[in-house]
Amino acid sequence: MLAHAQTLSPHATALEAKRLDLQAQLRNNVFKEPLYLSSREEKRRVEGDIFAEIPGSLSEVTAAFKSASTVCDLVILHLNVRACRPSGREGNESVTIALGPKRAMTSGELYHITYSLRIEAAEPAYFKATMQAPKGPLGTQDYRIVFEAMPIGGKQSFVHFGYAYGYGTVAKMAMDLYLSTAGRNKIGFTIIGHGADGKPIHVGGERGSLERNVMRYYLALLAYSSVTAGTTEERMNMRLRKWFALTERYPAQLHELDLAEYLAEKRSELARSAGAEK
């Protein structure tokens, strides 16, 4: 138990209890690092959670969620996020995320989701931010992103990143079409069985898609928090390279582009966003 446990708030105490409960999974898993991923699907809703012990002080690992602008700097690292626009003022901020194909030249519509950002807690030993969107593309709904963090000593933090949404008939049909064409070989991280050859069988479908996305956003958090020095442009360039390197550790699930393509796409998006703001 942490030395400061007696001063923790109820939510921080619950997060610390979760860390202690997950010690076995954090020490022994397919990721070979202190990371635990779980997902579930029921009643046309998918939810995924990552719990991990990561390098960085509480202020470093929570910096990306302090404002709508910093959230945009984080989510733009995701290869399918084509743009992000912050709006509002402190206490009433939101971000509008444009999602689309990994290549700008690929035919495909951009879909927009507007999340409200709320800082639920900002304590010396606990931070929580939530992002919610009542509706998304193709009849998806009730999007929710949860981020929690607490220090665990040695300039390390324990974080929880959760991502969930609901979907209806139209979204189900679109996903089924995708999974029968471009996404037919896509897999998630959870092992649901083993084949006759003994090789693991990974979850697919909507759950697999959710797992890939929650991991991409989690790795964006790692990339963002690991780069703190340099000019704004230098930090973004280093974070882009860091995010790509992190995703390449899981090529079966996350590889889509080579580094040169990814950097070219992102630099083009950032240039367009900068031009739109002038």
Side-chain angles (χ1 to χ4, degrees):
M1 186 64 69
L2 300 182
H4 60 265
Q6 67 272 16
T7 67
L8 295 181
S9 66
H11 285 103
T13 299
L15 186 60
E16 169 64 0
K18 186 69 174 180
R19 185 180 78 89
L20 296 175
D21 185 56
L22 289 176
Q23 283 302 297
Q25 294 92 326
L26 291 170
R27 305 302 163 214
N28 183 22
N29 56 67
V30 297
F31 303 106
K32 307 302 181 184
E33 60 182 282
L35 186 156
Y36 172 71
L37 185 155
S38 66
S39 67
R40 54 217 159 269
E41 180 179 14
E42 56 182 23
K43 297 180 180 178
R44 294 204 172 183
R45 182 169 180 81
V46 282
E47 301 179 351
D49 293 280
I50 285 179
F51 294 89
E53 296 177 356
I54 66 174
S57 66
L58 185 66
S59 62
E60 289 171 338
V61 302
T62 62
F65 285 89
K66 293 296 180 64
S67 71
S69 179
T70 53
V71 166
C72 279
D73 288 341
L74 181 151
V75 300
I76 198 64
L77 302 177
H78 190 308
L79 81 167
N80 291 119
V81 175
R82 308 302 304 189
C84 183
R85 186 180 74 250
S87 59
R89 59 185 62 184
E90 186 175 353
N92 186 30
E93 293 185 280
S94 63
V95 296
T96 298
I97 298 173
L99 299 166
K102 55 184 176 285
R103 292 183 177 89
M105 297 303 293
T106 303
S107 60
E109 185 177 354
L110 288 181
Y111 298 109
H112 295 82
I113 306 177
T114 298
Y115 289 91
S116 60
L117 171 66
R118 183 177 177 184
I119 308 301
E120 305 277 357
E123 304 164 7
Y126 178 73
F127 178 90
K128 181 179 182 180
T130 58
M131 295 170 58
Q132 292 181 283
K135 60 182 180 179
L138 303 174
T140 52
Q141 60 192 347
D142 192 20
Y143 283 78
R144 181 173 173 82
I145 293 173
V146 177
F147 173 68
E148 297 178 280
M150 67 185 305
I152 55 175
K155 205 177 181 183
Q156 284 193 309
S157 298
F158 182 61
V159 301
H160 166 219
F161 191 97
Y163 178 52
Y165 62 89
Y167 60 91
T169 302
V170 174
K172 175 64 174 170
M173 292 173 60
M175 177 57 73
D176 288 345
L177 177 61
Y178 169 74
L179 292 173
S180 67
T181 54
R184 61 183 176 276
N185 296 318
K186 301 290 186 182
I187 59 173
F189 293 89
T190 298
I191 297 173
I192 57 175
H194 291 81
D197 58 1
K199 293 182 179 180
I201 300 172
H202 293 84
V203 68
E206 198 83 35
R207 257 184 80 193
S209 176
L210 177 95
E211 288 191 357
R212 293 192 298 276
N213 276 315
V214 73
M215 179 62 82
R216 284 182 171 124
Y217 284 126
Y218 164 73
L219 296 179
L221 169 70
L222 291 188
Y224 184 100
S225 63
S226 69
V227 178
T228 58
T231 65
T232 299
E233 183 178 357
E234 289 169 342
R235 290 197 303 272
M236 179 56 74
N237 282 330
M238 286 188 285
R239 286 166 178 162
L240 290 170
R241 290 179 177 275
K242 180 70 171 181
W243 184 87
F244 184 86
L246 289 169
T247 63
E248 286 297 286
R249 292 161 61 180
Y250 313 106
Q253 290 86 3
L254 302 183
H255 179 78
E256 298 284 351
L257 305 173
D258 63 30
L259 176 60
E261 286 181 298
Y262 170 71
L263 292 176
E265 292 287 339
K266 287 302 171 183
R267 286 166 180 165
S268 177
E269 292 162 8
L270 292 166
R272 283 196 300 272
S273 296
E277 293 172 0
K278 293 181 180 178

